[in-house]
């Protein structure tokens, strides 16, 4: 019995649903059914005589030739495409694809079926459409073979996101100041003009070196050099670019049509690419996007689909946005076996959560209070009459809790610059440059020093400086102690808060690392106070290897959950050591080599500290005491070591601004002198002598 075009359409729809995405077959089929006619109507056929209905092509070899003829793709790419690996289209085909989208949009607008002629919603990219049918024919003729991505297909936005191209968000100048010029000229531009034509550079390292020399602040311009290199080498014709204004508005959408060039005649932003701007307007986003000049957003298919929906004037269902984002996140999770969750498992977990919402009249999707979610889980598991999703409801809520905990927070924050740092931290510019460089290169840094030298404050401000903004959502601080363990830090079984038994809980490091992993374009900082008070090998466990710079991004299975876990490259560790604490054991040498160590010394002679003293009002007594402390520190350094000196932070704080004399007496009598008796516990005469000298310095004025 011969197969009709209608039969072929059904077979294609069924195969696509199972292999490409649940909605893909139903969506693509009507386009393929009329593709030959549309080609002729849109003048895309180049005089060739294609079947009006592409479902009349039944042979893989026959259609392969049609595919190669239309796309101009090399035949050597076909076996790769059939394995589900995305290959870029030739530049000539990108122009055809743009024309296809514009013509189809205009046609349906004229017919009254589209809100506006530049609304591209619901139109599949031509290349994606052709590849889908090519794959179907191949696997239909080879039923013993399985499409490699069958169980790894994206579970949301089936076919909406063209995985063969990149999607970018780019700022057309500060506050989109050059947007109108770029739109009218069909270009996009990038700054750092002093670099000149990028064709002269063979690597990103060369660009970064010149940028470092230009900045002259000792800092590696990692993000800036990344943006320049991506604009030069990673953006390709066919890519989609969204132009942004600030951090909460999109002003345009376009398709890249040309290669990189340097426009020496342009006023600013001389690094250029030709682009076909398909949309121009103003669309406010529901949440902020990264402040970076250029950002690749391929890892956020939900965000891409959301922006397109805004631009196309579609009604936005907030709940669907959350559900789809959760489904995408689930598709990226790795199981104990090393495999990603498949579509069936993802659909089951989402259905479970929706059923819980309906049955128990609670909100799961959109809930950000993890304690409330845990209470919902307890309620569901305690209800013996609820058995529809009994086997997966608990784990489904656990996944959603982890999704909420690891979701990055993006908001507009107060900027933080080198000047800000140097105005409130008592180290000089040269020290700062070295400090930043060490942390950037090693990623793991321990600030060591005497009590009161401001190690914790420096760590906090250093994180601000490297982020270039005061974003506390990207900083996590904890403190180690002698009883701190792997179970506290990574994961372990803990008693349930309001019932009998134990439950497996993730520690702060795992939660924070997963949050950083979801936000690779921005840096995160995990700060550990009193880092050498804990048993480091015991606390870090198998993660001792993963924190190494060269091991970032590699995953291992965690001890209790057996889940895959990695430490992302954008996560920095900063520890603090109080070198005067006699009770501390030496750091494990295996862990020691994984950190750089930077000593923070008393900064009594720092110019910023001196300015601070002069501004507190009536500083005479304070200055006299500090002079005596500096003499004391020389003796301490000679007899006990530099790590036992008295730090400058003893003389910093709001209390000094209110009553410097009274606060100085309190610090001397109740903080510094008791410390001296600890230092010279075996030589009380020495402690008595220096206590008398400090009191004498105070009462001298």
């Amino acid at each position: 019995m011969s197969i009709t075009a209608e039969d072929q359409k059904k077979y294609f729809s069924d195969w696509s649903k199972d292999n490409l995405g649940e909605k893909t077959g139903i969506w693509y089929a009507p386009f393929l059914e009329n593709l030959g006619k549309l080609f002729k109507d849109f003048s895309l056929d180049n005089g060739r005589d294609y079947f009006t209905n592409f479902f009349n092509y039944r042979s893989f070899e026959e259609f392969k030739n049609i595919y190669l003829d239309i796309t101009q793709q090399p035949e050597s790419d076909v076996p790769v495409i059939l394995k589900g690996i995305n290959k870029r289209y030739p530049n000539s085909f990108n122009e055809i694809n743009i024309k296809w989208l514009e013509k189809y949009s205009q046609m349906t607008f004229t017919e009254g079926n589209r809100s506006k002629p530049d609304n591209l919603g619901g139109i599949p990219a031509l290349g994606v459409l052709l590849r889908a049918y090519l794959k179907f024919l191949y696997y239909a003729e080879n039923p013993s073979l399985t499409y490699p991505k069958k169980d790894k297909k994206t579970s949301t936005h089936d076919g909406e996101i063209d995985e063969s191209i990149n999607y970018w968000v780019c700022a057309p100048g500060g506050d989109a100041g050059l947007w109108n010029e770029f739109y009218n000229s069909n270009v996009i531009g990038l700054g750092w003009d002093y670099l000149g034509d990028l064709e002269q550079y063979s690597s990103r390292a060369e660009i970064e070196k010149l940028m470092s020399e230009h900045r002259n602040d000792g800092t590696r311009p990692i993000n800036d050099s990344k943006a320049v290199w991506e604009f030069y080498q990673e953006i390709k014709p066919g890519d989609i670019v969204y132009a942004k204004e600030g951090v909460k508005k999109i002003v345009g959408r376009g398709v890249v049509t040309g290669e990189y060039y340097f426009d020496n005649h342009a006023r600013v932003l001389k690094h250029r690419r030709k682009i076909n701007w398909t949309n121009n307007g103003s669309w406010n986003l529901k949440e902020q996007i990264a402040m970076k000049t250029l950002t690749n957003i391929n890892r956020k298919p939900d965000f891409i689909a959301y922006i397109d929906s805004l631009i196309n004037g579609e009604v936005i269902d907030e709940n669907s946005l959350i559900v789809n984002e959760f489904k995408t996140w689930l598709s990226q999770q790795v199981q104990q076996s090393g495999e990603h969750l498949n579509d069936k498992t993802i659909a089951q977990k989402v259905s479970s959560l929706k059923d819980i919402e309906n049955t128990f009249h609670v909100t799961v999707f959109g809930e950000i209070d993890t304690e409330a979610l845990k209470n919902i889980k307890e309620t569901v598991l305690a209800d013996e009459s609820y058995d529809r999703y009994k086997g997966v409801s608990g784990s489904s809520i656990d996944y959603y809790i982890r999704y909420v905990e690891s979701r990055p927070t993006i908001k507009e924050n107060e900027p933080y610059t080198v000047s800000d740092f140097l105005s409130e931290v008592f180290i000089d510019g040269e020290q700062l440059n070295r400090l930043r460089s060490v942390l950037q290169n090693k990623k793991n840094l321990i600030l060591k020093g005497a009590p009161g030298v401001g190690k914790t404050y420096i760590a906090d401000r250093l994180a601000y400086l490297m982020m270039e903004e005061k974003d506390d959502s990207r900083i996590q601080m904890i403190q180690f102690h002698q009883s701190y363990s792997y179970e506290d830090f990574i994961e372990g079984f803990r008693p349930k808060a309001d019932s009998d038994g134990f439950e497996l809980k993730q520690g702060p490091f795992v939660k924070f690392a997963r949050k950083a992993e979801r936000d690779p374009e921005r840096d995160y900082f995990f700060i550990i106070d009193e880092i050498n008070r804990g048993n480091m090998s015991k606390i870090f466990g198998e993660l001792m290897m993963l924190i190494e710079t060269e091991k970032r991004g590699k995953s291992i299975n965690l001890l209790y959950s057996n889940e895959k876990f990695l430490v992302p490259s954008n996560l920095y560790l900063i520890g603090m050591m109080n070198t005067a604490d006699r009770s501390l054991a030496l750091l494990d040498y295996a862990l020691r080599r994984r950190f750089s160590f930077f000593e923070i010394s008393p900064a009594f002679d720092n110019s910023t500290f001196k300015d601070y003293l002069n501004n507190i009002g009536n500083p005479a007594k304070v200055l006299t005491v500090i002079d005596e402390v500096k003499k004391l520190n020389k003796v301490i350094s000679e007899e006990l070591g530099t790590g036992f000196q008295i730090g400058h932070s003893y003389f910093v704080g709001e209390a000094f601004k209110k009553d410097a004399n009274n606060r100085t007496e309190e610090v001397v009598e109740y903080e510094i002198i008791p410390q001296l008796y600890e230092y010279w516990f075996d030589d009380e005469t020495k402690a008595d002598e220096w206590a008398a000298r400090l009191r004498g310095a105070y009462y001298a004025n």
Side-chain angles (χ1 to χ4, degrees):
M1 184 176 69
S2 61
I3 297 175
T4 66
E6 192 63 30
D7 293 331
Q8 189 80 338
K9 175 182 174 182
K10 183 180 184 306
Y11 297 150
F12 167 76
S13 297
D14 291 343
W15 183 88
S16 297
K17 178 181 178 181
D18 291 338
N19 293 272
L20 303 179
E22 186 175 354
K23 304 173 186 176
T24 304
I26 298 173
W27 180 23
Y28 289 178
F31 289 92
L32 288 168
E33 202 169 23
N34 295 285
L35 200 55
K37 179 180 183 303
L38 293 171
F39 268 28
K40 188 176 291 292
D41 292 345
F42 298 163
S43 301
L44 297 176
D45 57 355
N46 289 326
R48 293 174 176 79
D49 190 20
Y50 298 125
F51 281 133
T52 297
N53 186 343
F54 267 41
F55 287 121
N56 284 316
Y57 292 109
R58 313 287 169 75
S59 159
F60 168 73
E61 282 298 325
E62 180 185 18
F63 186 72
K64 182 182 75 171
N65 293 328
I66 299 294
Y67 172 83
L68 296 175
D69 180 59
I70 295 172
T71 65
Q72 296 299 302
Q73 194 111 35
E75 187 171 358
S76 58
D77 284 351
V78 172
V80 180
I81 293 168
L82 295 175
K83 293 178 182 178
I85 299 172
N86 296 305
K87 296 288 290 185
R88 282 190 170 272
Y89 304 102
N91 291 351
S92 57
F93 179 70
N94 288 322
E95 297 174 9
I96 295 173
N97 189 53
I98 293 171
K99 192 174 181 181
W100 152 261
L101 293 170
E102 291 176 341
K103 291 283 188 180
Y104 194 92
S105 176
Q106 181 64 54
M107 179 190 75
T108 48
F109 171 73
T110 303
E111 294 172 346
N113 297 321
R114 191 167 294 272
S115 60
K116 48 186 179 178
D118 61 354
N119 177 351
L120 305 179
I123 311 173
L126 183 58
V128 175
L129 199 61
L130 295 171
R131 283 183 179 179
Y133 195 58
L134 182 74
K135 294 171 186 177
F136 159 70
L137 288 173
Y138 176 78
Y139 287 99
E141 291 182 10
N142 296 275
S144 62
L145 300 178
T146 302
Y147 181 55
K149 294 187 71 175
K150 179 176 181 178
D151 293 326
K152 298 179 182 178
K153 57 186 181 293
T154 304
S155 57
T156 59
H157 312 302
D158 304 324
E160 294 179 48
I161 310 302
D162 186 349
E163 296 180 353
S164 68
I165 63 173
N166 285 317
Y167 294 80
W168 307 88
V169 174
C170 187
D175 294 323
L178 294 176
W179 167 239
N180 288 332
E181 178 183 328
F182 283 178
Y183 177 76
N184 292 327
S185 303
N186 275 320
V187 297
I188 188 67
L190 194 73
W192 297 283
D193 297 343
Y194 63 84
L195 292 169
D197 193 335
L198 300 179
E199 297 284 359
Q200 64 185 302
Y201 304 105
S202 59
S203 68
R204 176 182 166 185
E206 288 183 40
I207 293 174
E208 185 175 305
K209 183 175 183 294
L210 185 59
M211 295 177 92
S212 295
E213 293 171 355
H214 184 81
R215 290 175 60 155
N216 195 31
D217 61 3
T219 307
R220 286 183 59 195
I222 296 174
N223 288 335
D224 292 351
S225 63
K226 184 173 187 282
V228 171
W229 186 254
E230 286 179 337
F231 191 87
Y232 171 43
Q233 286 286 353
E234 302 299 327
I235 293 182
K236 302 290 184 183
D239 285 358
I240 303 296
V241 175
Y242 302 99
K244 69 171 183 175
E245 178 183 333
V247 293
K248 289 204 72 173
K249 184 182 290 185
I250 296 295
V251 294
R253 178 189 188 275
V255 183
V256 178
T257 58
E259 300 291 347
Y260 164 83
Y261 67 98
F262 186 72
D263 187 353
N264 213 17
H265 299 291
R267 293 180 296 109
V268 289
L269 277 60
K270 297 183 178 184
H271 304 292
R272 298 287 175 98
R273 280 182 178 274
K274 284 291 185 181
I275 190 166
N276 179 5
W277 292 110
T278 56
N279 302 87
N280 177 21
S282 179
W283 298 276
N284 293 316
L285 302 173
K286 64 184 177 71
E287 59 183 47
Q288 296 186 11
I289 51 180
M291 294 176 63
K292 291 174 57 180
T293 303
L294 179 69
T295 306
N296 182 298
I297 57 172
N298 279 46
R299 285 172 54 94
K300 301 179 178 180
D302 309 280
F303 187 58
I304 296 169
Y306 164 68
I307 295 176
D308 283 342
S309 295
L310 276 181
I311 292 174
N312 294 330
E314 299 170 9
V315 177
I316 305 295
D317 183 346
E318 295 291 337
N319 189 259
S320 294
L321 286 176
I322 297 170
V323 172
N324 285 336
E325 185 179 295
F326 177 58
K327 288 167 71 176
T328 300
W329 178 83
L330 281 174
S331 71
Q332 297 166 351
Q333 301 311 297
V334 181
Q335 303 176 87
Q336 298 176 8
S337 62
E339 296 292 323
H340 287 80
L341 297 177
N342 59 35
D343 264 13
K344 182 178 179 180
T345 303
I346 291 170
Q348 187 181 46
K349 292 190 180 301
V350 171
S351 297
S352 168
L353 295 179
K354 288 182 176 179
D355 191 70
I356 288 170
E357 287 186 321
N358 293 330
T359 303
F360 293 90
H361 306 291
V362 295
T363 298
V364 175
F365 292 109
E367 178 61 73
I368 59 174
D369 185 342
T370 56
E371 290 303 316
L373 291 167
K374 290 174 184 177
N375 290 336
I376 292 173
K377 176 184 174 182
E378 292 294 331
T379 301
V380 172
L381 296 182
D383 190 338
E384 296 182 0
S385 65
Y386 181 71
D387 58 4
R388 186 172 180 186
Y389 288 96
K390 199 71 173 181
V392 297
S393 57
S395 65
S396 298
I397 297 176
D398 285 339
Y399 268 110
Y400 193 78
I401 289 173
R402 187 190 301 174
Y403 157 78
V404 170
E405 289 176 335
S406 64
R407 196 168 190 268
T409 302
I410 300 179
K411 59 182 180 179
E412 197 160 5
N413 299 293
E414 181 183 347
Y416 195 81
T417 65
V418 171
S419 297
D420 294 325
F421 184 95
L422 294 176
S423 69
E424 58 183 6
V425 179
F426 306 131
I427 64 175
D428 60 35
E430 185 177 343
Q431 282 181 297
L432 173 59
N433 291 345
R434 178 60 64 189
L435 183 60
R436 294 170 74 185
S437 178
V438 169
L439 180 56
Q440 281 186 324
N441 291 323
K442 188 69 174 180
K443 296 190 183 295
N444 307 317
L445 173 69
I446 288 179
L447 303 177
K448 65 173 187 173
V453 292
K455 298 182 290 295
T456 304
Y457 190 76
I458 290 173
D460 188 59
R461 264 42 192 177
L462 181 60
Y464 283 167
L465 182 60
M466 291 185 65
M467 293 187 291
E468 299 183 348
E469 60 177 343
K470 290 185 174 182
D471 187 354
D472 290 317
S473 71
R474 290 190 278 149
I475 300 174
Q476 171 99 15
M477 183 177 289
I478 65 167
Q479 187 178 67
F480 279 0
H481 51 76
Q482 286 88 339
S483 300
Y484 207 77
S485 67
Y486 176 95
E487 287 75 15
D488 298 307
F489 190 58
I490 307 299
E491 65 173 8
F493 286 96
R494 287 286 178 263
K496 293 182 178 179
D498 51 4
S499 61
D500 295 333
F502 292 80
E503 61 181 341
L504 183 61
K505 287 190 174 182
Q506 293 179 345
F509 186 73
V510 169
K511 291 179 182 179
F512 195 71
R514 283 177 167 155
K515 185 176 181 180
E517 184 188 359
R518 285 181 68 179
D519 193 12
E521 297 293 331
R522 302 192 298 166
D523 293 335
Y524 283 70
F525 297 84
F526 196 89
I527 300 175
I528 306 172
D529 197 14
E530 307 285 4
I531 191 169
N532 56 336
R533 279 188 172 272
N535 184 328
M536 299 286 281
S537 297
K538 177 183 175 184
I539 293 171
F540 275 86
E542 65 271 22
L543 266 64
M544 189 180 293
M545 175 186 71
L546 296 187
I547 65 172
E548 289 185 45
T549 308
E550 295 76 16
K551 301 294 193 304
R552 296 298 183 94
K554 295 183 178 180
S555 61
I556 60 171
N557 292 75
L558 294 176
L559 178 62
Y560 290 103
S561 65
N562 203 35
E563 292 178 351
K564 291 287 183 182
F565 176 75
L566 59 83
V567 179
S569 60
N570 62 325
L571 177 58
Y572 294 84
L573 273 70
I574 306 176
M576 282 83 74
M577 283 178 57
N578 187 346
T579 49
D581 194 334
R582 296 178 187 271
S583 67
L584 303 181
L586 292 175
L587 278 179
D588 184 286
Y589 282 104
L591 194 65
R592 178 179 284 272
R593 71 177 181 82
R594 291 171 167 88
F595 282 83
S596 289
F597 291 78
F598 195 98
E599 184 159 6
I600 306 297
S601 302
F604 293 116
D605 294 322
N606 177 270
S607 58
T608 304
F609 181 73
K610 290 179 178 179
D611 290 340
Y612 155 78
L613 291 176
N614 291 330
N615 290 327
I616 63 175
N618 193 24
K621 287 183 181 292
V622 185
L623 293 173
T624 304
V625 170
I626 285 176
D627 285 340
E628 200 63 36
V629 169
K630 288 162 67 176
K631 297 173 185 175
L632 169 63
N633 278 342
K634 288 184 180 180
V635 175
I636 290 175
S637 297
E638 293 170 358
E639 296 189 7
L640 302 175
T642 57
F644 291 83
Q645 296 179 88
I646 303 300
H648 56 272
S649 293
Y650 282 104
F651 300 93
V652 176
E654 288 298 317
F656 280 94
K657 297 178 182 179
K658 295 176 181 177
D659 189 341
N661 290 339
N662 179 64
R663 182 57 187 151
T664 301
E665 182 180 11
E666 291 176 348
V667 167
V668 168
E669 197 65 46
Y670 302 107
E671 297 183 38
I672 297 178
I673 289 177
Q675 187 73 28
L676 297 183
Y677 282 97
E678 287 288 329
Y679 285 173
W680 284 303
F681 67 94
D682 56 351
D683 189 354
E684 197 166 303
T685 302
K686 175 81 71 174
D688 287 339
E689 175 192 342
W690 278 103
R693 290 184 63 169
L694 289 172
R695 290 183 180 120
Y698 173 76
Y699 289 111
N701 289 288

